Amino acid sequence: MTATPDLGARTPQLASPDLLRSVFRRHAAGVAVITAQGDAGPVGFTATSLTSASAEPPLLTFGISTGASSWPAISATDHIGVHILGEHQQDLAATFAKSGADRFGAPTAWRTGPEGVPVLDGVLAWLVCRIIGRVPAGDHRIVLAEVVLGDPTGSGRPLLYHQGRFNGLRD
């Protein structure tokens, strides 16, 4: 006999974009900014879907909407930058999350790094990665990238995204 879970007064919802968004608002995630050099200049976006995929070889993944303004550059480039943001960078995360923002204008501090990738200053850590795959996933693409080089020596505590807001860790 199979046990029936006690759902109390709550009624489960059928799968939908709203259900997925509601559930993942409850999932705290680290905040990263992905950057690339596009034909018209640098591009970038805030990502909470960053995942380590393999240690040997060092691989990571992230998702990007095919409707995102950064997608044309990400779809065509060989290299991207991955930046782990600190809790002091809530404004930077918001800038890179906002559609139509001048993401690389003042006060964003950045430089051209290895492979021509835009590298943000003041982050907890950054990587330059070579894209090795772009996998269709609904209205997104899952990008698979191999780490080429990076710097893990920034100081501070990580920035998190939870319940639609950027937050720091609490002790």
Side-chain angles (χ1 to χ4, degrees):
M1 185 151 117
T2 304
T4 303
D6 179 11
L7 300 174
R10 296 179 295 192
T11 303
Q13 298 176 26
L14 293 175
S16 70
D18 286 339
L19 173 63
L20 187 67
R21 285 186 199 101
S22 293
V23 168
F24 273 89
R25 277 188 200 106
R26 296 176 177 271
H27 173 73
V31 180
V33 168
I34 309 298
T35 61
Q37 183 60 45
D39 289 339
V43 300
F45 64 98
T46 300
T48 57
S49 61
L50 182 66
T51 304
S52 170
S54 169
E56 189 57 46
L59 301 174
L60 59 81
T61 68
F62 60 88
I64 180 172
S65 169
T66 56
S69 61
S70 297
W71 171 242
I74 300 292
S75 71
T77 193
D78 291 330
H79 291 86
I80 49 98
V82 176
H83 307 82
I84 307 302
L85 300 191
E87 63 185 358
H88 63 286
Q89 295 177 304
Q90 291 184 22
D91 289 344
L92 184 66
T95 296
F96 277 84
K98 184 177 179 185
S99 180
D102 180 6
R103 296 173 178 155
F104 290 90
T108 301
W110 65 283
R111 65 192 179 284
T112 301
E115 303 295 340
V117 171
V119 174
L120 302 176
D121 293 340
V123 296
L124 298 186
W126 61 266
L127 299 167
V128 170
C129 303
R130 182 177 59 86
I131 294 177
I132 60 174
R134 295 171 186 89
V135 180
D139 61 356
H140 278 60
R141 295 296 181 267
I142 305 302
V143 177
L144 180 62
E146 183 173 19
V147 176
V148 174
L149 57 87
D151 180 358
T153 62
S155 62
R157 294 162 50 108
L159 182 62
L160 300 177
Y161 187 74
H162 181 252
Q163 293 287 24
R165 294 188 353 230
F166 297 112
N167 301 282
L169 285 176
R170 287 186 228 155
D171 292 327

